[in-house]
Amino acid sequence: MKFSLLTVTCIVFSITHVIAFPHLNAQALQDQVKQEEQSKHIRERTKRQVGFDPVAQHVSTTGEHVWVAPNIAAGDKRGPCPGLNALANHGYLPHNGLAPATTIVQAVNQAYGMSLEFGQFLAVYGTVFDGDSISLTPGYSIGGPASLGGILSGVGLLRTPSGLSGSHNNYEGDTSATRGDLYVFGNDDQLQIPFFQRYYDALLTNTPAPQQYSALFPFRQSRFNDSIATNPYFFFPQFAGVLVAPAGYAFPPRMMANHSAKYPQGYLDKETFKSFFAVSGTPGQFTYQPGYERIPDNWYKRPIGDEYTIPDFLADVEEFARQDRRLSSVGGNTGTTNSFTGVDITALSKGVFDGATLLEGNNLQCFVFQLIQAEAPGLLTGLYEDITTASKSLTDEINKNLNGLACPQLVGLDQSQYGQFPGYQKSGGAI
């Protein structure tokens, strides 16, 4: 018989209560435990109880949002994020793949049910590091570099922004769910059929999306082990690794699952999964058409009022990291395969954070967000003339997200900790 922590606590408390108050009998004890368990279950259901509204949740794939194939030869940009690629193909983002940050925020909320705050942070981050944050219409390419003009004004830029396809170790990173490691495969934006097949096989059928996500842990762990075993330049930084890499595992069940009265929390069936990843065919005979990601017809997003938030995503990150602490460890291979070494978090943060307590409270969010803030100037050198102005929007977003968390204050970094990782050096730094 299994007991939850709450049950055990209730039993211990109730036993002492019976001793102090003998009129409570065994039946009363059992009733109290039962009531506490029922109360817990009600609280959990109330917290995330969702319904299904077929009108409000329906995502249009007709009219202005009918699917149109990208013209890559003519310059349309598509990149490593299947969700953004699909939005561009359906007109929720500009079809050329050069998207203003404000449009990205609106699109991921409208089509996928990502919270405005989460979308805002990701859009600002991508714009600052891989686009043009000082343009009159700040934004970035969802694929590779684009000609200057429009959202990429060129004014105050020292070089052409890389776009998401060139964001290795500042946004895109190793251990992706469906993409290969850059220094092993030679690209980081193309889906690799064997990895997709493994993800496909790991998806539970006829199962609500939250349980589908939890069941992906062995696959996620195996992909981490793949990078260790095959990539001597594997590096796992705090944002592109610890935070962004898990998105490839969490976002499909959390924001690509179809919702219905039967599955109000969503269910990611395998045909829907294939559509969002531009894959056709049957297991063992899959084919991939880059840039052809599509939102299925008759598809329904997350319920209104149950948007996917930053705390939701951090909870998903921590769920897997608690099962394998390497998934929250900054580190990498040291020049040979199978040489993964974690950074000493205490030394890196000069004593402010401790790897042993990184998953407690708000420590992970405090640690990662402050490291982004501390390391941004070094990575932005060479992209902008005025780094302070260029990074202001990101600084504001970080401060907003850390407000009220009572974070330990990071006062400096010992970046010599990165010297042992050739993958960090090869990518010109990481974040």
Side-chain angles (χ1 to χ4, degrees):
M1 182 176 181
K2 294 182 179 179
F3 293 89
S4 71
L5 178 59
L6 176 61
T7 304
V8 175
T9 303
C10 290
I11 291 174
V12 172
F13 173 79
S14 299
I15 288 173
T16 58
H17 202 76
V18 168
I19 293 173
F21 301 95
H23 62 277
L24 288 180
N25 58 27
Q27 183 61 50
L29 170 60
Q30 293 176 6
D31 290 343
Q32 183 175 344
V33 170
K34 184 176 181 180
Q35 289 170 6
E36 289 290 341
E37 284 287 8
Q38 289 175 340
S39 177
K40 175 201 172 194
H41 294 156
I42 290 171
R43 287 196 302 272
E44 288 301 315
R45 284 200 304 269
T46 301
K47 178 183 176 184
R48 298 302 270 185
Q49 191 169 27
V50 295
F52 176 63
D53 184 335
V55 175
Q57 291 176 240
H58 182 255
V59 176
S60 175
T61 56
T62 61
E64 64 179 326
H65 296 303
V66 69
W67 186 86
V68 178
N71 189 338
I72 304 301
D76 288 345
K77 303 299 180 183
R78 300 294 185 268
C81 178
L84 294 181
N85 293 345
L87 292 178
N89 291 339
H90 283 278
Y92 288 96
L93 294 179
H95 193 71
N96 65 5
L98 305 180
T102 53
T103 305
I104 294 172
V105 176
Q106 180 182 8
V108 295
N109 175 263
Q110 181 182 358
Y112 298 140
M114 178 181 282
S115 75
L116 294 173
E117 293 78 10
F118 196 4
Q120 175 79 6
F121 176 77
L122 293 179
V124 167
Y125 183 97
T127 297
V128 169
F129 284 100
D130 305 305
D132 184 353
S133 66
I134 55 179
S135 167
L136 293 177
T137 52
Y140 61 86
S141 164
I142 67 173
S147 300
L148 296 179
I151 66 169
L152 305 178
S153 66
V155 178
L157 291 174
L158 299 176
R159 59 174 172 81
T160 302
S162 66
L164 288 190
S165 293
S167 67
H168 185 63
N169 277 349
N170 73 49
Y171 207 139
E172 175 280 328
D174 296 329
T175 78
S176 165
T178 61
R179 270 59 181 174
D181 289 4
L182 176 63
Y183 301 132
V184 176
F185 286 82
N187 72 78
D188 52 16
D189 61 342
Q190 300 292 294
L191 178 141
Q192 303 298 324
I193 290 291
F195 300 153
F196 177 85
Q197 176 77 64
R198 286 161 59 184
Y199 198 143
Y200 180 95
D201 292 342
L203 270 180
L204 297 181
T205 57
N206 303 315
T207 303
Q211 285 74 32
Q212 285 185 299
Y213 171 70
S214 295
L216 290 173
F217 171 73
F219 169 59
R220 198 279 173 270
Q221 187 180 51
S222 73
R223 288 292 296 119
F224 192 89
N225 291 335
D226 288 342
S227 291
I228 292 175
T230 63
N231 184 3
Y233 296 101
F234 169 41
F235 186 67
F236 201 64
Q238 60 275 4
F239 185 74
V242 174
L243 280 195
V244 174
Y249 304 84
F251 283 11
R254 297 303 191 183
M255 288 187 288
M256 293 177 178
N258 204 356
H259 293 73
S260 63
K262 181 178 181 181
Y263 292 108
Q265 291 181 298
Y267 164 51
L268 182 58
D269 67 87
K270 296 192 177 187
E271 289 303 309
T272 296
F273 182 55
K274 286 162 54 180
S275 180
F276 270 112
F277 280 79
V279 171
S280 59
T282 57
Q285 295 181 320
F286 286 137
T287 59
Y288 164 57
Q289 193 158 10
Y292 276 53
E293 292 83 355
R294 181 193 294 256
I295 299 173
D297 295 332
N298 301 313
W299 187 81
Y300 299 84
K301 67 175 181 177
R302 293 174 66 95
I304 308 301
D306 187 42
E307 286 76 19
Y308 192 58
T309 65
I310 291 176
D312 290 334
F313 177 56
L314 290 173
D316 283 340
V317 172
E318 292 180 5
E319 178 182 338
F320 284 3
R322 291 182 190 283
Q323 298 177 71
D324 187 337
R325 292 303 292 260
R326 297 174 305 169
L327 301 180
S328 62
S329 299
V330 177
N333 280 341
T334 56
T336 60
T337 56
N338 296 310
S339 60
F340 183 83
T341 303
V343 167
D344 184 335
I345 299 300
T346 303
L348 176 66
S349 65
K350 296 187 175 180
V352 176
F353 292 96
D354 178 0
T357 61
L358 200 57
L359 298 181
E360 295 180 4
N362 298 311
N363 286 346
L364 181 63
Q365 184 174 353
C366 292
F367 170 69
V368 173
F369 279 35
Q370 288 188 78
L371 254 67
I372 293 171
Q373 205 165 17
E375 295 189 348
L379 285 176
L380 296 177
T381 299
L383 177 58
Y384 298 103
E385 292 178 358
D386 184 347
I387 294 173
T388 301
T389 300
S391 61
K392 183 180 184 304
S393 57
L394 179 63
T395 299
D396 291 345
E397 279 298 311
I398 290 174
N399 289 338
K400 180 179 72 176
N401 280 284
L402 294 183
N403 183 42
L405 296 187
C407 292
Q409 291 303 299
L410 193 67
V411 294
L413 295 176
D414 177 11
Q415 292 185 310
S416 67
Q417 295 289 316
Y418 298 137
Q420 61 186 314
F421 304 110
Y424 174 89
Q425 310 298 333
K426 192 175 178 67
S427 61
I431 198 167

